[in-house]
């Protein structure tokens, strides 16, 4: 069935991203927005826009019936959920379909199977997919689990079956702590996800997170679009992603790709999806979970394959068979994405809110910016603090890294702390450059002093000098001739005004 108008049930960069592909396909778009997003770019970009409620997402972007009514009223024939919000909500997908609309995503059944890490493990068990050693059922008898944990070997990771976004995990270092950590994990899972089911896995101490993009149509065809390396994480959440991975050989790529297709097949998957794997030091890979939506980091895959994943999602939702075959796909060049968050890397990556006083995007060859803001706008406190995704594409990895450093240097953001400086630190780190890094990268190599003192950062060096100068004056009780009074916060105040 041809789709003529799509309501995009999301905000920010991903709403714009979806609308852009729709526009290229001649499809009209309807934006939705909360009262905090009246001026947002996705609202101005869309052909029509509907206000759906007050700022908190529970009263706007998560209001299923309001969204469906808006779609019906505006004559949309489909809803695209983006990522986050209702994108992995099987109930929403079901209600959209019950209203006679097309849900641009997988079936409600696929969403519910893969939304539960335990149901997912059960579904894939017949497909010969490598799994992390562990217990693949909800733990009821803690003493029994404690015996199993000894066999698996410490450290152990306790995971909430319904967890997501890096939440709901606990590491247990030794047997003595097991019972206490288990009880905590269960009550946390119950209160955070409304489901106290937890299970245990071997905690892989130096893992890489590598995931495979898949596309499936409604006729049983499933393809893999290679891997994304997402090991640079803070709080189990990704900040830097790239494709292809520096450590994956063609044989490993094929094995992972075929395993991912098996995972997708196990739940009769259609649409775009991502199968996440954890990879140990010997490069053994294990299935972690499947995300049944477009992923934040999908642009790196688009850059190296030339496939527009949103257009594919739309065509699949219309019922078209995939026009691409596995043998048509190949990797060209290298892409790296960084997430520019309104966060302060010097202060434990805590969210920073405020106004984008200066906001100038990098430009030139091989640069793609997906964002939803303009200079002068406020970053609302109600939603995810991601300002933008900066993706670079180049002929190979060294050129991509150099290009990313150039793009970061061109990116001008003031008024708010961002992860830009941190990402530049990553780009010049020897572990990143060599490809020999794992999910412990941030913990292992990063500390706030790495930002101010990083070589080549002339501004930071000047700031440090000025601070030293200021401290000298403070000690002497004299006013500093060089700095305005409100700037006595040291390098961070300068960083804020970085241009
Ligand atoms: P991805 O797996 O797509 O790279 P993350 O791992 O960072 O993304 O987060 C997993 C999912 O949880 C994403 O779909 C993201 O939109 C969602 N998410 C993460 N943080 C938040 C948040 N603060 N509010 C709402 N959704 C969030
Ligand atoms: P979520 O639904 O929160 O994304 P995942 O199962 O995908 O949960 O795990 C998120 C991250 O946690 C992974 O990218 C990895 O960094 C870490 N992780 C998950 N399982 C393990 C494990 N068994 N050993 C070590 N790290 C793990
Ligand atoms: Mg995950």
């Amino acid at each position: 069935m041809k789709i003529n108008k799509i309501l995009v049930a999301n905000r920010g960069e991903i709403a714009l991203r979806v609308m852009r592909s729709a526009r290229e396909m001649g499809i009209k778009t309807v934006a939705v927005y909360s009262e905090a997003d009246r001026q947002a770019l996705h609202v101005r970009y869309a052909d029509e826009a509907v206000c759906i409620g007050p700022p908190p997402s529970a009263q706007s972007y998560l209001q299923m019936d309001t969204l469906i009514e808006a779609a019906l009223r505006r004559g949309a024939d489909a809803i695209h959920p983006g990522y986050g919000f209702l994108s992995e909500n099987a109930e929403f997908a079901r209600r959209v379909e019950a209203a006679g609309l097309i849900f641009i995503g997988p079936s409600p059944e696929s969403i519910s199977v893969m939304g539960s890490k335990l149901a997912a493990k059960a579904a894939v068990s017949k497909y010969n997919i490598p799994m992390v050693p562990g217990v693949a059922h909800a733990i009821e008898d803690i003493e029994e689990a404690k015996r199993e944990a000894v066999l698996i070997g410490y450290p152990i990771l306790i995971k909430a079956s319904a967890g997501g976004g890096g939440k709901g995990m606990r590491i247990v270092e030794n047997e003595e702590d097991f019972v206490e950590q288990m009880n905590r994990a269960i009550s946390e899972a119950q209160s955070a996800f409304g489901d106290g089911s937890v299970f245990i896995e071997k905690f892989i101490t130096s893992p890489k997170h590598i995931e495979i993009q898949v596309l499936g149509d409604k006729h049983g065809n499933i393809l893999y679009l290679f891997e994304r390396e997402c090991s640079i994480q803070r709080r189990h959440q990704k900040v830097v992603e790239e494709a292809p991975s520096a450590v994956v050989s063609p044989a490993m790529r094929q094995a992972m790709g075929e395993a991912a297709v098996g995972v997708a097949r196990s739940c009769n998957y259609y649409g775009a999806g991502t199968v996440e794997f954890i990879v140990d030091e010997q490069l053994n890979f294990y299935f972690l979970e499947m995300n049944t939506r477009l992923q934040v980091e999908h642009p790196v895959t688009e850059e190296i394959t030339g496939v527009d994943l949103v257009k594919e999602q739309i065509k699949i939702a219309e019922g078209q068979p995939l026009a691409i075959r596995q043998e048509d796909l190949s990797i060209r060049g290298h892409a790296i994405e960084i997430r520019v968050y309104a966060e302060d890397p010097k202060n434990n990556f805590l969210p920073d809110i405020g106004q984008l006083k200066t906001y100038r995007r990098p430009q030139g060859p091989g640069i793609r910016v997906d964002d939803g803001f303009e200079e002068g706008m406020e970053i609302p406190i109600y939603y995810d603090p991601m300002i933008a995704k900066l993706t670079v594409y180049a002929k190979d990895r060294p050129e991509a890294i150099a290009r990313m450093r150039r793009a970061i240097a061109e990116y001008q953001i003031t008024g708010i702390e961002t992860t830009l400086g941190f990402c530049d630190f990553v780009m010049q780190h020897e572990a990143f450059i060599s490809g020999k890094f794992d999910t412990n990268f941030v913990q292992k190599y990063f500390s706030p002093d790495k930002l101010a003192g990083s070589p080549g950062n002339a501004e930071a060096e000047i700031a440090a000098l000025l601070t030293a100068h200021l401290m000298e004056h403070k000690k002497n009780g004299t006013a500093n001739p060089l700095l305005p009074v409100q700037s006595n916060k040291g390098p961070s105040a300068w960083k804020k005004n970085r241009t």
Side-chain angles (χ1 to χ4, degrees), residues 92-358:
F92 182 59
R94 211 170 280 127
R95 285 201 215 173
V96 169
E97 289 179 355
L101 299 164
I102 297 173
F103 180 75
I104 303 179
S107 69
E109 294 74 30
S110 302
I111 299 176
S112 37
V113 169
M114 291 298 159
S116 151
K117 290 187 182 11
L118 282 172
K121 281 180 192 257
V124 307
S125 64
K126 294 184 249 13
Y127 287 78
N128 201 19
I129 312 289
M131 309 266 228
V132 188
V135 171
H137 58 80
I139 287 163
E140 311 211 314
D141 183 338
I142 296 183
E143 285 303 322
E144 189 196 324
K146 192 171 161 184
R147 286 190 293 275
E148 285 165 317
V150 174
L151 299 178
I152 297 164
Y154 282 88
I156 289 285
L157 188 64
I158 307 177
K159 279 186 167 181
S161 179
K167 297 180 189 76
M169 286 183 275
R170 263 175 187 278
I171 302 168
V172 193
E173 298 289 349
N174 51 56
E175 205 178 342
E176 294 82 78
D177 302 339
F178 188 80
V179 173
E180 188 196 334
Q181 294 290 358
M182 200 67 186
N183 284 321
R184 281 202 200 170
I186 293 171
S187 71
E188 269 175 15
Q190 187 62 47
S191 60
F193 313 111
D195 174 0
S197 310
V198 303
F199 59 98
I200 55 178
E201 267 180 8
K202 181 163 188 59
F203 180 69
I204 315 269
T205 43
S206 301
K208 278 174 140 332
H209 173 119
I210 299 182
E211 58 188 31
I212 304 282
Q213 175 71 51
V214 297
L215 276 179
D217 64 20
K218 292 181 178 172
H219 309 276
N221 304 302
I222 305 175
L223 304 171
Y224 62 90
L225 288 88
F226 315 116
E227 77 276 10
R228 288 185 291 257
E229 149 71 67
C230 311
S231 302
I232 308 284
Q233 307 180 343
R234 45 110 188 71
R235 290 191 291 270
H236 299 299
Q237 279 191 323
K238 305 153 186 168
V239 247
V240 177
E241 297 107 339
E242 64 179 317
S245 158
V247 301
V248 173
S249 66
M252 182 176 170
R253 177 168 299 129
Q254 184 179 347
M256 290 184 83
E258 286 168 2
V261 169
V263 171
R265 214 169 279 298
S266 77
C267 65
N268 302 314
Y269 200 82
Y270 57 75
T274 295
V275 181
E276 298 189 332
F277 294 95
I278 195 158
V279 177
D280 69 14
E281 281 172 293
Q282 289 74 44
L283 299 182
N284 300 304
F285 61 87
Y286 306 100
F287 171 61
L288 263 189
E289 62 160 349
M290 180 169 192
N291 294 328
T292 56
R293 54 171 158 88
L294 191 66
Q295 200 98 341
V296 174
E297 59 274 19
H298 75 278
V300 293
T301 300
E302 295 188 320
E303 297 302 320
I304 61 153
T305 60
V307 174
D308 182 320
L309 290 169
V310 173
K311 284 184 186 165
E312 293 304 321
Q313 286 188 300
I314 294 172
K315 289 189 277 186
I316 291 164
E318 288 179 329
Q320 296 190 39
L322 286 168
I324 323 163
R325 287 162 309 172
Q326 190 66 52
E327 55 272 27
D328 298 334
L329 288 165
S330 63
I331 297 177
R332 270 200 60 197
H334 198 93
I336 306 177
E337 173 189 284
I338 64 167
R339 301 193 191 185
V340 185
Y341 280 106
E343 285 180 359
D344 187 359
K346 283 193 239 66
N347 190 10
N348 218 5
F349 293 91
L350 282 177
D352 192 29
I353 46 160
Q355 194 194 22
L356 290 168
K357 290 213 176 73
T358 318

Side-chain angles (χ1 to χ4, degrees), residues 2-7 18-30 47 77-78 104 311 314-315 318:
K2 173 89 182 79
I3 292 172
N4 296 301
K5 198 191 261 193
I6 296 173
L7 178 135
V18 171
M19 288 171 193
R20 289 192 160 115
S21 285
R23 181 162 291 176
E24 288 178 21
M25 295 170 85
I27 298 172
K28 294 265 184 269
T29 54
V30 183
D47 297 297
D77 26 43
I104 303 179
K311 284 184 186 165
I314 294 172
K315 289 189 277 186
E318 288 179 329

